[in-house]
Amino acid sequence: MKKMTVREARQALSRLDRVLEEEGEVTITRHGRAVARVVPVSGKRAIPSHKALRESMPRMRRGSGRLVREDRDAR
């Protein structure tokens, strides 16, 4: 990861794509404090699988319909 100041980033803007290819990530600082992180855009993001998410969640002991009815009756 490369660090550069705001001034250096402005001067390097025309070649920032090459810097990102070499470094992978660039942190831009102002007065020694990080103010931005520039990362290359990756390819298409994978669409999350809802089935995999459901399977990773623990099963409820009581069904959701029963929980809703109990909550409604308690009001």
Side-chain angles (χ1 to χ4, degrees):
M1 174 177 65
K2 181 176 178 72
K3 289 186 179 183
M4 59 175 45
T5 65
V6 173
R7 171 180 258 162
E8 291 170 339
R10 284 183 185 147
Q11 292 172 347
L13 194 56
S14 63
R15 58 184 173 82
L16 193 57
D17 58 337
R18 287 178 291 211
V19 173
L20 286 173
E21 283 178 12
E22 294 171 9
E23 300 293 331
E25 180 178 311
V26 176
T27 300
I28 300 175
T29 62
R30 178 181 289 137
H31 304 294
R33 300 178 83 181
V35 295
R37 184 173 53 136
V38 182
V39 295
V41 176
S42 61
K44 292 183 179 180
R45 290 177 33 190
I47 297 173
S49 167
H50 293 288
K51 181 180 178 183
L53 175 64
R54 284 191 308 271
E55 289 173 352
S56 70
M57 296 172 66
R59 300 276 303 166
M60 296 175 59
R61 291 186 180 157
R62 296 185 291 172
S64 58
R66 185 175 176 187
L67 289 173
V68 170
R69 265 186 256 112
E70 289 174 1
D71 183 55
R72 196 179 309 143
D73 293 343
R75 293 181 190 187

XYZ file of all heavy atoms in Angstrom:
599
model
N 0.840 -1.171 0.000
C 0.000 0.000 0.000
C 0.889 1.239 0.000
O 1.788 1.362 0.801
C -0.901 -0.018 1.237
C -1.699 1.250 1.381
S -2.824 1.255 2.769
C -1.716 1.176 4.151
N 0.609 2.118 -0.907
C 1.393 3.339 -1.053
C 0.649 4.489 -0.378
O -0.561 4.558 -0.412
C 1.589 3.650 -2.532
C 2.406 4.888 -2.797
C 2.629 5.057 -4.286
C 3.396 6.309 -4.596
N 4.785 6.257 -4.235
N 1.400 5.381 0.251
C 0.824 6.587 0.838
C 1.305 7.784 0.042
O 2.455 7.842 -0.372
C 1.263 6.747 2.292
C 0.633 5.759 3.230
C 0.994 6.067 4.657
C 0.332 5.072 5.577
N 0.586 5.371 6.983
N 0.396 8.724 -0.194
C 0.778 9.961 -0.858
C -0.084 11.095 -0.322
O -1.194 10.879 0.143
C 0.672 9.850 -2.382
C -0.674 9.517 -2.938
S -0.811 9.527 -4.751
C 0.595 8.670 -5.310
N 0.466 12.294 -0.382
C -0.254 13.461 0.089
C -1.285 13.885 -0.958
O -1.260 13.408 -2.093
C 0.703 14.629 0.365
O 1.296 15.030 -0.872
C 1.780 14.251 1.358
N -2.163 14.786 -0.562
C -3.159 15.298 -1.495
C -2.478 15.948 -2.690
O -2.867 15.738 -3.842
C -4.101 16.302 -0.783
C -5.032 16.967 -1.772
C -4.895 15.614 0.310
N -1.427 16.708 -2.437
C -0.697 17.371 -3.520
C -0.095 16.343 -4.473
O -0.201 16.472 -5.695
C 0.401 18.267 -2.949
C 1.325 18.799 -4.032
C 2.401 19.671 -3.452
N 1.956 21.034 -3.731
C 2.407 22.108 -3.131
N 3.281 22.001 -2.176
N 1.983 23.288 -3.471
N 0.534 15.301 -3.930
C 1.113 14.254 -4.778
C 0.026 13.533 -5.580
O 0.233 13.200 -6.747
C 1.867 13.236 -3.917
C 3.123 13.776 -3.283
C 3.711 12.823 -2.254
O 2.982 11.955 -1.739
O 4.913 12.953 -1.962
N -1.139 13.321 -4.962
C -2.236 12.654 -5.658
C -2.726 13.506 -6.825
O -3.018 12.986 -7.896
C -3.374 12.363 -4.697
N -2.812 14.810 -6.615
C -3.229 15.700 -7.709
C -2.230 15.648 -8.858
O -2.609 15.612 -10.029
C -3.350 17.133 -7.207
C -4.580 17.378 -6.392
C -4.665 18.830 -5.997
N -5.792 19.050 -5.109
C -5.804 19.936 -4.152
N -4.759 20.719 -3.941
N -6.864 20.077 -3.396
N -0.953 15.656 -8.516
C 0.074 15.629 -9.554
C 0.115 14.276 -10.263
O 0.471 14.196 -11.434
C 1.436 15.946 -8.953
C 1.546 17.377 -8.465
C 2.832 17.630 -7.686
O 3.533 16.703 -7.299
N 3.125 18.909 -7.443
N -0.247 13.209 -9.549
C -0.169 11.859 -10.116
C -1.492 11.395 -10.712
O -1.604 10.239 -11.126
C 0.278 10.882 -9.034
N -2.482 12.264 -10.762
C -3.803 11.844 -11.209
C -3.788 11.236 -12.605
O -4.486 10.252 -12.861
C -4.767 13.039 -11.167
C -6.240 12.710 -11.270
C -6.649 11.732 -10.183
C -7.058 13.971 -11.172
N -2.982 11.761 -13.488
C -2.948 11.234 -14.856
C -2.346 9.829 -14.920
O -2.595 9.089 -15.866
C -2.164 12.173 -15.762
O -0.818 12.252 -15.342
N -1.557 9.457 -13.934
C -0.949 8.127 -13.940
C -1.408 7.276 -12.755
O -0.802 6.272 -12.403
C 0.579 8.236 -13.942
C 1.163 8.991 -12.795
C 2.692 9.139 -12.922
N 3.194 10.019 -11.892
C 3.444 9.648 -10.644
N 3.257 8.400 -10.281
N 3.899 10.516 -9.762
N -2.516 7.677 -12.143
C -3.013 6.967 -10.961
C -3.388 5.522 -11.276
O -3.199 4.634 -10.444
C -4.218 7.703 -10.371
C -4.668 7.271 -8.991
C -3.534 7.389 -7.983
C -5.853 8.092 -8.547
N -3.891 5.275 -12.476
C -4.232 3.904 -12.842
C -3.010 2.998 -12.818
O -3.073 1.852 -12.363
C -4.931 3.852 -14.199
C -4.103 4.456 -15.314
O -3.217 5.281 -15.026
O -4.352 4.103 -16.482
N -1.868 3.516 -13.277
C -0.638 2.707 -13.247
C -0.152 2.495 -11.816
O 0.329 1.418 -11.478
C 0.444 3.374 -14.081
C 0.162 3.242 -15.581
C 1.198 3.946 -16.346
N 1.003 5.386 -16.088
C 1.265 6.346 -16.934
N 1.802 6.073 -18.081
N 1.020 7.598 -16.639
N -0.283 3.523 -10.981
C 0.121 3.396 -9.577
C -0.737 2.329 -8.899
O -0.229 1.491 -8.144
C 0.004 4.752 -8.839
C 0.258 4.589 -7.357
C 0.962 5.771 -9.437
N -2.039 2.326 -9.179
C -2.925 1.323 -8.592
C -2.590 -0.078 -9.070
O -2.670 -1.036 -8.297
C -4.384 1.654 -8.908
C -4.975 2.811 -8.123
C -6.355 3.157 -8.644
C -5.027 2.502 -6.652
N -2.202 -0.222 -10.331
C -1.800 -1.535 -10.834
C -0.574 -2.046 -10.089
O -0.484 -3.221 -9.758
C -1.500 -1.469 -12.330
C -2.716 -1.432 -13.204
C -2.350 -1.329 -14.676
O -1.165 -1.514 -15.018
O -3.257 -1.049 -15.478
N 0.375 -1.142 -9.813
C 1.608 -1.538 -9.136
C 1.395 -1.775 -7.643
O 1.895 -2.733 -7.080
C 2.675 -0.460 -9.320
C 3.146 -0.292 -10.738
C 4.043 0.922 -10.915
O 4.430 1.528 -9.892
O 4.337 1.277 -12.071
N 0.658 -0.865 -6.993
C 0.529 -0.899 -5.538
C -0.720 -1.626 -5.044
O -0.725 -2.137 -3.939
C 0.517 0.530 -4.980
C 1.761 1.326 -5.300
C 3.001 0.782 -4.613
O 2.883 0.194 -3.520
O 4.089 0.957 -5.174
N -1.770 -1.613 -5.834
C -3.009 -2.257 -5.421
C -3.934 -1.352 -4.628
O -5.141 -1.457 -4.709
N -3.382 -0.439 -3.851
C -4.171 0.466 -3.023
C -3.330 1.688 -2.699
O -2.129 1.573 -2.490
C -4.566 -0.249 -1.730
C -5.381 0.568 -0.778
C -5.771 -0.231 0.448
O -6.258 -1.363 0.304
O -5.572 0.287 1.553
N -3.953 2.848 -2.669
C -3.243 4.090 -2.359
C -4.003 4.812 -1.254
O -5.216 4.994 -1.341
C -3.137 5.012 -3.600
C -2.486 6.330 -3.241
C -2.371 4.328 -4.717
N -3.286 5.211 -0.209
C -3.877 6.001 0.867
C -3.434 7.438 0.681
O -2.247 7.724 0.565
C -3.418 5.492 2.245
O -3.826 4.135 2.380
C -4.028 6.310 3.366
N -4.402 8.353 0.666
C -4.109 9.779 0.490
C -4.183 10.440 1.853
O -5.145 10.256 2.598
C -5.098 10.414 -0.506
C -4.966 9.714 -1.863
C -4.849 11.907 -0.625
C -5.963 10.153 -2.892
N -3.147 11.203 2.167
C -3.063 11.833 3.485
C -3.060 13.349 3.367
O -2.646 13.910 2.356
C -1.782 11.390 4.218
O -0.642 11.810 3.468
C -1.747 9.891 4.416
N -3.534 13.982 4.425
C -3.466 15.438 4.553
C -2.931 15.710 5.953
O -3.513 15.261 6.925
C -4.849 16.069 4.386
C -4.809 17.587 4.565
C -6.176 18.228 4.420
N -6.567 18.172 3.011
C -7.780 17.838 2.588
N -8.726 17.533 3.439
N -8.051 17.817 1.304
N -1.816 16.412 6.021
C -1.154 16.712 7.293
C -0.859 15.432 8.089
O -1.015 15.383 9.308
C -1.993 17.669 8.139
C -2.326 18.948 7.449
N -1.369 19.889 7.112
C -3.502 19.440 7.009
C -1.950 20.908 6.508
N -3.254 20.654 6.426
N -0.492 14.373 7.374
C -0.103 13.118 8.021
C -1.261 12.218 8.412
O -1.042 11.122 8.912
N -2.493 12.650 8.202
C -3.654 11.838 8.562
C -4.331 11.325 7.294
O -4.507 12.063 6.331
C -4.655 12.667 9.364
C -4.041 13.189 10.654
C -5.015 14.027 11.406
N -5.859 13.118 12.179
C -6.849 13.518 12.948
N -7.141 14.796 13.029
N -7.552 12.650 13.629
N -4.720 10.071 7.311
C -5.371 9.465 6.150
C -6.737 10.107 5.937
O -7.525 10.240 6.868
C -5.531 7.968 6.366
N -7.003 10.541 4.695
C -8.290 11.149 4.372
C -9.040 10.351 3.310
O -10.252 10.513 3.167
C -8.145 12.616 3.913
C -7.629 13.483 5.040
C -7.258 12.735 2.693
N -8.342 9.509 2.569
C -9.005 8.724 1.528
C -8.180 7.486 1.220
O -6.971 7.457 1.437
C -9.182 9.557 0.261
N -8.885 6.494 0.702
C -8.233 5.274 0.252
C -8.742 5.005 -1.153
O -9.944 4.941 -1.388
C -8.583 4.109 1.173
C -7.874 2.847 0.835
C -8.134 1.798 1.874
N -9.568 1.660 2.065
C -10.201 0.495 2.160
N -9.524 -0.607 2.130
N -11.494 0.450 2.317
N -7.844 4.863 -2.096
C -8.200 4.615 -3.483
C -7.841 3.173 -3.799
O -6.706 2.749 -3.611
C -7.447 5.576 -4.441
C -7.867 5.333 -5.871
C -7.691 7.024 -4.043
N -8.846 2.429 -4.265
C -8.641 1.025 -4.624
C -9.141 0.822 -6.042
O -10.073 1.500 -6.484
C -9.372 0.072 -3.656
C -8.791 0.167 -2.263
C -10.853 0.357 -3.621
N -8.565 -0.101 -6.773
C -9.036 -0.351 -8.128
C -10.420 -0.999 -8.097
O -10.756 -1.749 -7.180
C -7.990 -1.301 -8.708
C -7.307 -1.895 -7.547
C -7.408 -0.918 -6.428
N -11.211 -0.701 -9.094
C -12.526 -1.310 -9.216
C -12.331 -2.730 -9.703
O -11.674 -2.969 -10.708
C -13.396 -0.517 -10.211
C -14.735 -1.209 -10.411
C -13.597 0.901 -9.729
N -12.891 -3.654 -8.962
C -12.762 -5.047 -9.380
C -13.818 -5.349 -10.428
O -14.685 -4.535 -10.721
C -12.933 -5.969 -8.173
O -14.210 -5.791 -7.614
N -13.752 -6.536 -10.954
C -14.718 -6.949 -11.958
C -16.115 -7.009 -11.366
O -16.397 -6.454 -10.318
N -16.976 -7.701 -12.041
C -18.344 -7.813 -11.563
C -18.377 -8.501 -10.206
O -17.671 -9.470 -9.979
C -19.187 -8.611 -12.549
C -19.409 -7.899 -13.850
C -20.320 -8.713 -14.743
C -20.577 -7.988 -16.042
N -21.461 -8.763 -16.915
N -19.208 -7.951 -9.332
C -19.376 -8.572 -8.022
C -20.338 -9.736 -8.146
O -21.320 -9.672 -8.871
C -19.933 -7.560 -7.027
C -18.927 -6.499 -6.661
C -19.459 -5.459 -5.742
N -20.444 -5.951 -4.806
C -21.176 -5.156 -4.045
N -21.052 -3.871 -4.118
N -22.058 -5.668 -3.198
N -20.036 -10.780 -7.432
C -20.907 -11.949 -7.462
C -22.207 -11.626 -6.733
O -22.213 -10.958 -5.703
C -20.211 -13.127 -6.782
N -23.289 -12.098 -7.288
C -24.587 -11.907 -6.649
C -24.663 -12.852 -5.460
O -24.406 -14.057 -5.604
C -25.727 -12.188 -7.645
C -25.651 -11.184 -8.800
C -27.084 -12.131 -6.957
C -26.611 -11.460 -9.918
N -24.993 -12.325 -4.277
C -25.014 -13.198 -3.104
C -26.111 -14.256 -3.223
O -27.189 -13.997 -3.763
C -25.299 -12.245 -1.945
C -25.850 -11.022 -2.554
C -25.338 -10.947 -3.948
N -25.837 -15.410 -2.720
C -26.778 -16.518 -2.776
C -27.657 -16.486 -1.531
O -27.177 -16.651 -0.410
C -26.033 -17.847 -2.842
O -26.911 -18.916 -2.599
N -28.952 -16.269 -1.726
C -29.871 -16.257 -0.590
C -30.014 -17.657 0.005
O -30.191 -17.806 1.212
C -31.231 -15.712 -1.015
C -31.184 -14.265 -1.377
N -31.029 -13.268 -0.446
C -31.232 -13.640 -2.572
C -31.008 -12.101 -1.050
N -31.115 -12.297 -2.346
N -29.916 -18.645 -0.839
C -30.014 -20.017 -0.359
C -28.859 -20.329 0.599
O -29.067 -20.891 1.673
C -29.988 -20.994 -1.534
C -30.110 -22.437 -1.118
C -30.073 -23.375 -2.316
C -30.160 -24.806 -1.834
N -30.047 -25.756 -2.940
N -27.654 -19.917 0.225
C -26.494 -20.151 1.090
C -26.644 -19.393 2.409
O -26.282 -19.904 3.472
C -25.212 -19.729 0.384
N -27.191 -18.182 2.341
C -27.402 -17.409 3.568
C -28.409 -18.106 4.468
O -28.187 -18.239 5.676
C -27.886 -16.003 3.222
C -28.260 -15.115 4.403
C -27.032 -14.847 5.264
C -28.876 -13.821 3.928
N -29.529 -18.543 3.893
C -30.545 -19.241 4.696
C -29.979 -20.505 5.324
O -30.268 -20.817 6.480
C -31.756 -19.584 3.830
C -32.648 -18.414 3.540
C -33.957 -18.865 2.917
N -33.802 -19.726 1.758
C -33.702 -19.307 0.505
N -33.747 -18.026 0.238
N -33.573 -20.160 -0.485
N -29.177 -21.235 4.571
C -28.620 -22.482 5.101
C -27.589 -22.235 6.190
O -27.388 -23.083 7.056
C -28.010 -23.298 3.963
C -29.046 -23.881 3.029
C -28.443 -24.552 1.812
O -27.216 -24.435 1.606
O -29.204 -25.172 1.055
N -26.945 -21.065 6.167
C -25.941 -20.773 7.189
C -26.566 -20.303 8.498
O -25.915 -20.312 9.540
C -24.966 -19.706 6.687
O -25.624 -18.441 6.595
N -27.850 -19.900 8.460
C -28.526 -19.410 9.667
C -29.063 -20.590 10.470
O -29.533 -21.574 9.903
C -29.669 -18.473 9.287
C -29.202 -17.223 8.599
S -30.540 -16.216 7.959
C -31.321 -15.701 9.449
N -29.006 -20.483 11.800
C -29.542 -21.583 12.610
C -31.067 -21.650 12.475
O -31.728 -20.630 12.307
C -29.126 -21.210 14.030
C -28.906 -19.743 14.006
C -28.461 -19.412 12.614
N -31.606 -22.837 12.551
C -33.052 -23.027 12.457
C -33.714 -22.554 13.748
O -33.183 -22.741 14.841
C -33.386 -24.505 12.253
C -32.802 -25.109 10.994
C -33.597 -24.893 9.777
N -34.961 -25.392 9.908
C -35.910 -25.066 9.058
N -35.639 -24.279 8.057
N -37.123 -25.525 9.212
N -34.898 -21.967 13.606
C -35.658 -21.532 14.769
C -36.391 -22.724 15.360
O -36.834 -23.618 14.638
C -36.657 -20.447 14.364
C -35.985 -19.188 13.865
S -37.141 -17.962 13.250
C -38.154 -17.653 14.654
N -36.521 -22.731 16.673
C -37.216 -23.846 17.316
C -38.716 -23.767 17.059
O -39.366 -24.781 16.883
C -36.938 -23.833 18.817
C -35.508 -24.175 19.124
C -35.267 -24.305 20.588
N -33.866 -24.632 20.811
C -33.230 -24.399 21.910
N -33.846 -23.855 22.936
N -31.961 -24.724 22.024
N -39.244 -22.550 17.083
C -40.665 -22.358 16.792
C -40.780 -21.637 15.460
O -39.975 -20.785 15.135
C -41.327 -21.531 17.884
C -41.303 -22.235 19.235
C -42.061 -21.473 20.265
N -41.351 -20.242 20.593
C -41.835 -19.293 21.360
N -43.028 -19.401 21.879
N -41.134 -18.211 21.624
N -41.790 -21.959 14.709
C -41.989 -21.339 13.407
C -42.325 -19.863 13.525
O -42.853 -19.400 14.544
N -42.026 -19.104 12.493
C -42.271 -17.668 12.529
C -43.754 -17.348 12.604
O -44.167 -16.371 13.228
C -41.642 -16.986 11.317
O -42.157 -17.528 10.122
N -44.593 -18.165 11.981
C -46.033 -17.952 12.052
C -46.531 -18.025 13.485
O -47.357 -17.218 13.932
N -46.028 -18.986 14.222
C -46.414 -19.142 15.631
C -45.937 -17.952 16.460
O -46.673 -17.447 17.308
C -45.831 -20.442 16.164
C -46.246 -20.766 17.551
C -45.727 -22.121 17.959
N -46.048 -22.397 19.348
C -45.608 -23.428 20.013
N -44.824 -24.305 19.410
N -45.927 -23.610 21.260
N -44.723 -17.491 16.205
C -44.205 -16.339 16.933
C -45.034 -15.090 16.668
O -45.336 -14.322 17.577
C -42.740 -16.077 16.550
C -41.722 -17.085 17.050
C -40.356 -16.782 16.443
C -41.640 -17.047 18.560
N -45.448 -14.896 15.422
C -46.268 -13.734 15.074
C -47.615 -13.811 15.773
O -48.105 -12.830 16.333
C -46.429 -13.623 13.536
C -47.469 -12.586 13.176
C -45.101 -13.297 12.886
N -48.240 -15.010 15.759
C -49.527 -15.178 16.429
C -49.425 -14.910 17.918
O -50.265 -14.219 18.503
C -50.062 -16.599 16.197
C -51.016 -16.673 15.037
C -51.655 -18.044 14.918
N -50.997 -18.718 13.808
C -50.208 -19.776 13.914
N -50.013 -20.367 15.051
N -49.623 -20.293 12.850
N -48.381 -15.422 18.546
C -48.192 -15.203 19.987
C -47.989 -13.726 20.293
O -48.536 -13.206 21.268
C -47.006 -16.010 20.498
C -47.262 -17.495 20.553
C -46.023 -18.279 20.933
O -44.957 -17.666 21.171
O -46.111 -19.521 20.993
N -47.230 -13.038 19.449
C -47.001 -11.609 19.644
C -48.304 -10.840 19.461
O -48.614 -9.931 20.228
C -45.933 -11.120 18.673
C -45.608 -9.657 18.876
O -45.268 -9.289 20.030
O -45.691 -8.878 17.907
N -49.073 -11.210 18.456
C -50.336 -10.522 18.181
C -51.324 -10.758 19.334
O -52.023 -9.836 19.757
C -50.907 -11.051 16.866
C -51.982 -10.165 16.297
C -52.526 -10.687 14.984
N -51.480 -10.997 14.035
C -51.515 -12.028 13.185
N -52.542 -12.849 13.176
N -50.533 -12.223 12.334
N -51.381 -11.975 19.852
C -52.301 -12.292 20.948
C -51.907 -11.592 22.245
O -52.760 -11.306 23.077
C -52.360 -13.794 21.177
C -53.010 -14.540 20.017
O -53.703 -13.869 19.204
O -52.812 -15.767 19.907
N -50.615 -11.316 22.413
C -50.137 -10.674 23.632
C -50.500 -9.195 23.681
O -50.492 -8.597 24.748
C -48.636 -10.838 23.753
N -50.891 -8.609 22.570
C -51.212 -7.174 22.538
C -52.606 -6.888 22.974
O -53.540 -7.415 23.013
C -51.010 -6.603 21.136
C -49.568 -6.619 20.756
C -49.396 -6.039 19.404
N -48.027 -6.284 18.963
C -47.533 -5.794 17.880
N -48.242 -5.056 17.105
N -46.292 -6.066 17.534
